[in-house]
């Protein structure tokens, strides 16, 4: 019984040691990712001057205009069976 308890204690100690090492490694990786992920803390050329890399269209006045335009592919009602959208799609699909 004493020998079994001794083996269990050794295994528990080694498991605790491995867990502590894994936690320390994970913490070190998280700290490294936090430091390298922030462009203001990097010691690179552009980041050291305090300026972030800008896109070419950051200062354009008319940005994202197409997002606000109404959708041109919406179905519209035309009271003519030959000119309506269904008839045009049908003719394009099966006749051509």
């Amino acid at each position: 019984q004493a020998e079994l308890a001794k083996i269990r204690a050794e295994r528990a100690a080694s498991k605790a040691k491995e867990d502590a090492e894994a936690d320390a490694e994970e913490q070190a990786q998280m700290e490294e990712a936090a430091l390298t992920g922030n462009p203001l803390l990097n010691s690179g050329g552009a980041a050291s001057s305090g300026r972030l890399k800008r896109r070419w269209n950051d200062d354009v006045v008319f940005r994202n205009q197409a997002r606000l335009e109404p959708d041109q592919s919406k179905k519209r009602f035309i009271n003519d069976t030959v000119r309506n959208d269904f008839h045009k799609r049908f003719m394009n699909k099966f006749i051509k």
Side-chain angles (χ1 to χ4, degrees):
Q1 291 290 343
E3 192 174 326
L4 183 60
K6 181 181 173 185
I7 293 173
R8 285 184 182 160
E10 288 176 358
R11 287 185 183 171
S14 66
K15 176 84 167 133
K17 184 179 178 182
E18 289 175 4
D19 289 343
E21 290 175 358
D23 288 341
E25 178 73 25
E26 183 179 345
Q27 183 68 21
Q29 287 179 353
M30 289 179 64
E31 288 176 2
E32 180 196 356
L35 289 176
T36 58
N38 189 349
L40 297 176
L41 296 178
N42 288 343
S43 61
S48 64
S49 66
R51 290 179 47 117
L52 294 175
K53 185 176 179 182
R54 293 179 50 156
R55 290 181 49 93
W56 65 272
N57 63 351
D58 278 347
D59 54 349
V60 177
V61 178
F62 301 106
R63 280 181 66 185
N64 299 324
Q65 294 295 315
R67 183 173 44 155
L68 301 175
E69 289 291 319
D71 192 13
Q72 297 295 331
S73 65
K74 285 185 177 177
K75 295 182 180 179
R76 57 189 195 277
F77 177 74
I78 300 174
N79 196 12
D80 186 3
T81 56
V82 176
R83 294 187 323 160
N84 66 9
D85 293 335
F86 174 78
H87 182 74
K88 286 182 181 179
R89 278 187 277 116
F90 180 84
M91 294 297 283
N92 285 334
K93 188 173 183 180
F94 293 110
I95 302 302
K96 285 187 179 183

